[in-house]
Amino acid sequence: MPPPRFLKFPPRFSWGTATSTTQIEGHIQNEWTDFVARDGRTCHPACDSYHRYAEDIQWMNRLGVNAYRMGIEWSRLQPAAYASLDQKELARYCDQLDRLNEAGIVPMVVLHHFSNPPWLNAIGGWTNAEAIPAFVDYATKLAQALRERVRIWNTFNEPDTYACCGYLIAEFPPQQKGQLVAYRKIIRQMADAHQQVCRVIRGIGSALGPVEVGFSKNWTFFQPYQKQFPWDVFIATFLHSQMNSYVLESFLGEGRHASSSFLGVNYYGRIRFKNFQPLVPTFGFSCDDLAKMGVACDDMLERYPPGLKVALDTMYQKYRLPIYVTEHGSASSDEHFRERDLKENLASLHSAIEHGVDVRGFYYWSLLDNFEWQFGYSKKFGLIGVDFDDEKLPRRMKMLGEIYRGICQENGFLPGKSAQNGHA
Ligand code: FCB
């Protein structure tokens, strides 16, 4: 076997981390405020990043990242539809953005990440067409207010996860089941809002340089565990059509891709079905039992590093937009497993770039251990650990954080080289 080759990424490649408001800020008033997760806990106070963002930026400095994908929480800024922006809340986000820019960490701001202000939820959230002009109004005011501080905007995070978990499988508020019509309507309405917001943001521009705007699509492979089981083939094909193709076509199909300047891709892996059951730990299987079936999982779903290249290739061939991998990460208490997962996925990303896909950056999910929605604090995705049992919420660098720092510094890595023989 030839010795492994150092995988160098393109010059000016963005190395970042990602978070979302509900998962880290705390002190939030949206549909998640009273939601009790499976560990019996709520999103309050999460990592208390609402107060501790300056410290979080110092941690980013220590990691050596040059990019950060962060949310701005709509419910903090508009107490009612079409209201002017709350100046105190805006000033806090401005301070956070100033500190990031001063530290040389380029912010990508996400406008919608699984949460709405209470007044929008009260009228049915994104099932109501009123959501579209209200969101466009918010985005317009925010883009105007932040044109000196933000150059990269991300309209929606994973519309499919939001609509599926809230309206098909009852895992997110408002916890409805089987509402396929609502699911499809939400996707269409978010796609409409996305088109309009792209035009608005391009019009407003940014004082920091050429403005970029896109949305983040979560790409999951859905596959049958055994090809000879027609029902599993059927489920996988159906889910792929609804979760991947329908969403991408609604946002980017039929000439609509021209409004976006990039495509964000969130990639974790795949879900395979056996006798209608998804083979994932979150569906009650143990990681060990799954491993015996050849299904290698983190604490959430099956890892499938070669799929990242396939997903990037497929979407790039079809829509020809520059891509940011806006999320990838793993949840496990085994840092060696996480190191392997990161490096295998980055190697796959690297080979997509070599194959001609225009990938501009990678944002590790996540900066911090945080509130993982329906699972609460049990899933550890952080590069930085947070002790949620200590009310001071102390942060600490994890082994994977050290490894990621090396990758950011060197703009690449040597596959196969593990923490035991060097990096950490
Ligand atoms: C993605 C979400 C993010 C986090 C990761 C693990 O689907 O966008 O908020 O939950 O999964």
Side-chain angles (χ1 to χ4, degrees):
M1 252 201 353
R5 163 175 75 97
F6 187 89
L7 301 180
K8 189 90 185 160
F9 282 73
R12 290 184 299 284
F13 192 78
S14 299
W15 289 105
T17 67
T19 60
S20 82
T21 54
T22 304
Q23 294 179 276
I24 66 162
E25 285 184 352
H27 324 280
I28 231 161
Q29 289 300 321
N30 62 27
E31 61 270 58
W32 291 94
T33 307
D34 299 319
F35 180 93
V36 179
R38 287 189 206 166
D39 64 352
R41 300 173 82 166
T42 68
C43 65
H44 181 80
C47 309
D48 193 25
S49 293
Y50 182 76
H51 296 113
R52 301 178 52 170
Y53 57 91
E55 181 189 342
D56 292 343
I57 294 170
Q58 284 170 12
W59 283 105
M60 284 182 236
N61 265 328
R62 268 171 238 166
L63 288 171
V65 294
N66 58 21
Y68 181 45
R69 178 173 178 257
M70 58 172 272
I72 288 193
E73 175 63 23
W74 188 4
S75 60
R76 293 194 197 283
L77 289 177
Q78 278 192 318
Y82 306 102
S84 28
L85 301 185
D86 182 304
Q87 291 302 304
K88 184 174 145 272
E89 298 296 341
L90 183 64
R92 198 194 63 86
Y93 280 118
C94 285
D95 183 49
Q96 183 177 358
L97 291 162
D98 285 344
R99 287 171 191 260
L100 285 164
N101 284 321
E102 275 157 30
I105 301 170
V106 176
M108 173 191 284
V109 170
V110 181
L111 295 170
H112 188 279
H113 193 135
F114 303 168
S115 67
N116 303 311
W119 49 264
L120 181 56
N121 291 321
I123 58 165
W126 284 89
T127 60
N128 190 328
E130 291 295 315
I132 303 171
F135 184 72
V136 176
D137 171 75
Y138 166 61
T140 307
K141 288 174 175 153
L142 195 67
Q144 277 161 349
L146 297 180
R147 79 178 294 286
E148 312 293 317
R149 295 178 169 88
V150 177
R151 195 179 67 72
I152 313 181
W153 295 90
N154 193 309
T155 56
F156 289 95
N157 175 68
E158 302 188 1
D160 41 312
T161 308
Y162 170 79
C164 168
C165 290
Y167 295 84
L168 293 180
I169 58 171
E171 295 268 313
F172 286 6
Q175 295 185 284
Q176 295 181 16
K177 249 197 184 131
Q179 306 293 318
L180 188 60
V181 173
Y183 169 86
R184 290 175 64 94
K185 189 170 181 195
I186 291 167
I187 299 297
R188 269 198 316 278
Q189 306 208 125
M190 287 185 158
D192 277 0
H194 171 74
Q195 301 303 308
Q196 295 185 40
V197 169
C198 284
R199 280 196 289 274
V200 166
I201 288 181
R202 281 165 178 265
I204 294 169
S206 167
L208 299 177
V211 78
E212 296 181 42
V213 56
F215 82 109
S216 285
K217 170 74 191 85
N218 168 44
W219 182 285
T220 302
F221 287 92
F222 299 99
Q223 296 173 351
Y225 181 63
Q226 282 154 317
K227 290 210 177 75
Q228 63 271 34
F229 283 7
W231 282 109
D232 292 334
V233 173
F234 173 78
I235 293 176
T237 312
F238 177 74
L239 288 175
H240 176 72
S241 80
Q242 297 304 306
M243 303 291 153
N244 293 331
S245 314
Y246 177 65
V247 179
L248 281 165
E249 279 301 293
S250 303
F251 275 73
L252 303 176
E254 289 166 22
R256 277 185 289 254
H257 72 284
S259 343
S260 310
S261 58
F262 71 86
L263 171 62
V265 175
N266 295 355
Y267 181 78
Y268 289 88
R270 67 177 163 183
I271 301 179
R272 286 193 279 172
F273 288 84
K274 184 167 191 263
N275 301 327
F276 303 110
Q277 312 252 33
L279 296 176
V280 289
T282 44
F283 209 78
F285 296 99
S286 81
C287 281
D288 287 347
D289 288 346
L290 290 170
K292 282 183 203 133
M293 298 171 70
V295 181
C297 296
D298 76 339
D299 293 345
M300 297 272 285
L301 74 156
E302 186 180 354
R303 303 283 105 186
Y304 185 40
L308 179 54
K309 175 175 185 289
V310 178
L312 293 172
D313 262 342
T314 309
M315 284 182 272
Y316 189 64
Q317 293 312 326
K318 186 125 203 223
Y319 302 111
R320 289 279 156 195
L321 286 169
I323 292 177
Y324 289 98
V325 174
T326 40
E327 287 184 24
H328 173 78
S330 62
S332 170
S333 47
D334 178 350
E335 291 285 281
H336 294 289
F337 173 92
R338 297 181 73 211
E339 176 186 8
R340 266 194 319 277
D341 173 79
L342 172 61
K343 290 183 170 172
E344 288 173 7
N345 279 278
L346 284 178
S348 184
L349 194 169
H350 189 270
S351 80
I353 294 176
E354 284 190 323
H355 196 237
V357 181
D358 181 5
V359 186
R360 306 262 169 105
F362 175 85
Y363 296 75
Y364 191 83
W365 184 273
S366 180
L367 174 67
L368 301 164
D369 286 341
N370 61 44
F371 176 75
E372 178 52 34
W373 311 113
Q374 71 271 42
F375 305 110
Y377 298 92
S378 58
K379 310 287 179 216
K380 308 293 185 192
F381 278 99
L383 295 169
I384 308 297
V386 179
D387 182 354
F388 295 103
D389 294 328
D390 180 333
E391 61 180 27
K392 295 200 187 81
L393 298 166
R395 275 80 161 141
R396 72 181 166 86
M397 182 70 86
K398 291 199 212 172
M399 186 187 105
L400 193 69
E402 300 283 359
I403 289 161
Y404 196 55
R405 172 166 62 189
I407 296 174
C408 297
Q409 254 166 19
E410 294 170 36
N411 193 28
F413 66 101
L414 194 59
K417 185 174 169 189
S418 79
Q420 289 106 315
N421 53 22
H423 258 131

